Amino acid sequence: MRASGIRSIGLVVTLLATLGAAGTGAAAPTGPGAGTPSAPSGTMTVLTPSSSGSSVQGGEIVLAQNDRGWHPLSPLLRLFRGGRSSRPTRKLREQKRPKRSITRAAPMPPKIDEEPKTANARTVLVVGDRMAEGLARGLKASYAKTPTIKVESEISRSRGLLREADPDWPARIKVRLDKGEADVVVVMLGTDDRRGLVLDGQRTSFRDPAWQEVYRALVQRTVASVRDGRRPLVWVGLPPVSGPDRRSDFSYLNDFYKEKVETADGVFVDIWEAFLSEEGKYTSYGADVDGQRRRLRTSDGLYFTWPGYRKVAFFVQQRLARILGEGPALELAFPGGDSNVVLLTGGASREETLAGEEIAPAIPTEGSLQHRLIVEGRSLPRVEGRIDDFSRAE
């Protein structure tokens, strides 16, 4: 730096120091200006002398300062800082708005307006836990406009086959059947049966061999209570649920139901695949009975929403239609050949054939024309004069 520049800086510093001393060390004014209010805090008052050397009353200059007070070297410091203030700037953080999760309320069951039922209306008795309760409401909606079919229920919301209570499910079913309060029994339960048992004072865990033996017997007793009452039985399997462990357990329980129900010539309604995604995974959404994409499962991944129960009822109704006469009547190969019992077997009854003819076997008899055409693949013999006779074609 040149000597002249250094001297200039020195003169500036000296001048600023002089001004500071004049502003801070000046005594309170006396004389004619003594009554004048002092300058407000944070300001600097400079008295400018008149040409005669006496102070001029109206010649004071008030310089506004910031709230940090005045410093004689402030201009110089600002010069070296490039005009920036020494106070650190406060960074304003934008307040993050809390994320609001949009919870869509599951559709509530509508009010079901049922038409009056006829005196001889047949009764569908729905038996089971909380899931069966939703199924019963779905079936009521399905048969609301059908005067010849009504739906009743026998529900214990949090009780499966393992819940100790008196009376148990077989006894409760027997009471309803003895009173003539059911023409068809629909069972759906098991969501509360993933628990252990106490056998002879010993704790038995879920899926243990001893547990399997007891549970298989409980399912058998429930199925037998309907069979002994000479009523058709429709057992609805458990649906897929969220969580791989729970889903595996429900599939495991379905094996017990399917085995015992079909052995007793009952109907097992498997709804598992109907509530999976196209990739075979659990999903809360799917097509409802009207083909619209809807939420079918509740947030716990276990139960159904109203559209979901309506869909379960739809699959059950398809099987009930065969039993209750809404579709072709089907005979059951029931032990003892009781002709008064009508259940599902998948074959047509004799009354459904034309003029009471025998039902054609599934495989044509060997040597017949059907066997020659369908099984052997040989053409049928030519009949003279028939449209496919080309022997006289010109």
Side-chain angles (χ1 to χ4, degrees), residues 221-237:
R221 286 186 59 230
T222 306
V223 171
S225 66
V226 182
R227 179 181 178 277
D228 294 343
R230 318 302 288 180
R231 297 294 191 279
L233 170 64
V234 177
W235 194 300
V236 185

Side-chain angles (χ1 to χ4, degrees), residues 129 159-163 189-196 206 211 215 218-219 238 250 253 257:
D129 52 20
R159 180 178 155 217
L161 293 174
L162 294 180
R163 180 75 70 179
L189 47 74
T191 59
D192 200 44
D193 286 345
R194 300 165 58 242
R195 60 176 70 232
F206 176 63
W211 186 96
Y215 197 76
L218 290 173
V219 176
L238 296 174
F250 276 25
L253 293 175
Y257 310 145

Side-chain angles (χ1 to χ4, degrees), residues 8-22 70 72-73:
S8 299
I9 294 175
L11 291 175
V12 172
V13 172
T14 303
L15 177 60
L16 293 176
T18 302
L19 293 175
W70 184 85
L73 300 182

Side-chain angles (χ1 to χ4, degrees), residues 55-267:
S55 60
V56 181
Q57 181 178 354
E60 62 181 18
I61 302 175
V62 180
L63 302 178
Q65 304 295 326
N66 54 29
D67 56 356
R68 292 175 295 168
W70 184 85
H71 192 278
L73 300 182
S74 296
L76 184 61
L77 295 176
R78 288 197 299 269
L79 178 63
F80 284 103
R81 286 197 300 264
R84 297 190 304 271
S85 175
S86 61
R87 174 177 294 183
T89 57
R90 179 181 298 176
K91 294 182 179 180
L92 298 178
R93 295 183 179 180
E94 183 179 355
Q95 186 176 3
K96 295 183 178 180
R97 297 181 179 179
K99 295 182 179 180
R100 294 184 301 174
S101 58
I102 301 176
T103 303
R104 301 183 184 275
M108 296 298 294
K111 181 181 178 181
I112 302 174
D113 296 325
E114 291 186 278
E115 291 187 0
K117 305 299 180 180
T118 60
N120 60 345
R122 286 158 293 179
T123 302
V124 177
L125 178 65
V126 181
V127 177
D129 52 20
R130 179 179 172 184
M131 198 167 286
E133 183 181 35
L135 170 61
R137 290 198 305 265
L139 286 174
K140 278 191 175 184
S142 300
Y143 292 115
K145 305 303 180 183
T146 307
T148 57
I149 298 175
K150 61 182 178 179
V151 179
E152 302 292 341
S153 60
E154 183 75 24
I155 303 296
S156 288
R157 302 190 76 205
S158 59
R159 180 178 155 217
L161 293 174
L162 294 180
R163 180 75 70 179
E164 296 179 2
D166 188 24
D168 57 10
W169 282 118
R172 295 171 68 173
I173 292 173
K174 184 176 184 303
V175 170
R176 300 295 293 263
L177 296 183
D178 290 345
K179 293 181 179 180
E181 297 178 349
D183 295 287
V184 181
V185 178
V186 178
V187 178
M188 188 178 191
L189 47 74
T191 59
D192 200 44
D193 286 345
R194 300 165 58 242
R195 60 176 70 232
L197 289 171
V198 178
L199 301 174
D200 300 329
Q202 299 294 326
R203 184 72 179 177
T204 302
S205 300
F206 176 63
R207 292 200 184 204
D208 284 349
W211 186 96
Q212 296 180 29
E213 183 178 353
V214 171
Y215 197 76
R216 186 175 286 108
L218 290 173
V219 176
Q220 175 62 38
R221 286 186 59 230
T222 306
V223 171
S225 66
V226 182
R227 179 181 178 277
D228 294 343
R230 318 302 288 180
R231 297 294 191 279
L233 170 64
V234 177
W235 194 300
V236 185
L238 296 174
V241 291
S242 62
D245 293 339
R246 189 166 57 172
R247 192 158 53 248
S248 174
D249 292 342
F250 276 25
S251 177
Y252 170 77
L253 293 175
N254 278 342
D255 292 339
F256 288 92
Y257 310 145
K258 183 179 177 63
E259 173 194 357
K260 293 302 180 182
V261 169
E262 293 186 345
T263 300
D265 298 312
V267 179

Side-chain angles (χ1 to χ4, degrees), residues 365-380:
T365 304
E366 186 175 357
S368 64
L369 294 178
Q370 293 91 339
H371 189 276
R372 178 176 179 177
L373 175 65
I374 299 173
V375 179
E376 299 178 11
R378 298 166 56 189
S379 60
L380 295 177

